Amino acid sequence: MEAADYPGTPYRPRAEITTNTVATLRNAWTFSDGTLHGHEGAPLVADNTMYVVTPFPNDAYALDLTKPGAPVKWKYSPNPTPTAIGKACCDVVNRGAQLADGMLIYNTLDDHTVAVDAATGYEVWRTQVDNAETGGTTPMAPLVVNGNA
C-alpha cells in the first residue's frame, strides 16, 4: 500500500535515517519516465523492485534495485483514451498504486482499474469504474482491502 497502514500513515519509520544521518543522504540514481505532468503518487518498493506509475498515459514501470542504475525490468502501457485529458479537473496526474497479492493495482485517468502481475508486467485484470466520455476521471490511488480493490 502507498501509505504505511490502512489509516494512511504517510511513511514507514527507518532507524537508519535520523537527524544525525540525514545530512549524508545522496542521490544514488535517477529515472525519467518521459512524462511532463505532475507526479503525485509515491513509488512503491517491494522485493528489490521499485514500481512507478506515471501521470497520463498511466504507464507502469518496474525497476530492478539489485542492479546498478536500477534498470527497467518491465513496462506496462494501459493505453487510456485521450478523451480523459480534457475532462480531468486537476491535471492528468496519477496519485499512486497499491501492491496486493502479487499484483500492482492502479487507476487510469480514463476510469479503469488495472491489476498487473508485479513480477512480469502482464495485465491480470481490468475493470471500468466510470466513463470519461461523460466527464468522469479516476486520478486517485485505489484502496485495496483484503485483496479487493
Side-chain angles (χ1 to χ4, degrees):
M1 89 176 10
E2 184 172 352
D5 50 28
Y6 286 126
T9 304
Y11 66 92
R12 296 184 193 275
R14 298 284 185 233
E16 302 88 8
I17 302 173
T18 68
T19 55
N20 295 326
T21 62
V22 71
T24 65
L25 295 176
R26 300 288 181 262
N27 282 339
W29 51 269
T30 61
F31 171 74
S32 174
D33 60 33
T35 60
L36 301 176
H37 295 282
H39 285 68
E40 294 186 7
L44 300 175
V45 176
D47 300 323
N48 294 312
T49 302
M50 177 179 283
Y51 301 93
V52 177
V53 177
T54 72
F56 189 90
N58 304 126
D59 292 332
Y61 291 88
L63 308 176
D64 188 345
L65 300 179
T66 66
K67 296 181 179 166
V72 174
K73 292 170 79 170
W74 55 256
K75 175 185 175 186
Y76 166 75
S77 298
N79 301 311
T81 178
T83 300
I85 294 170
K87 309 289 184 177
C89 72
C90 312
D91 198 9
V92 295
V93 299
N94 182 283
R95 295 192 175 109
Q98 301 291 320
L99 284 167
D101 299 324
M103 295 177 289
L104 179 70
I105 302 170
Y106 68 97
N107 294 318
T108 62
L109 190 65
D110 72 341
D111 306 309
H112 289 87
T113 301
V114 295
V116 179
D117 184 288
T120 66
Y122 291 109
E123 186 177 287
V124 177
W125 56 261
R126 176 186 194 112
T127 189
Q128 187 169 353
V129 296
D130 203 346
N131 187 344
E133 298 293 332
T134 59
T137 60
T138 312
M140 76 279 221
L143 177 62
V144 178
V145 178
N146 296 325
N148 297 303

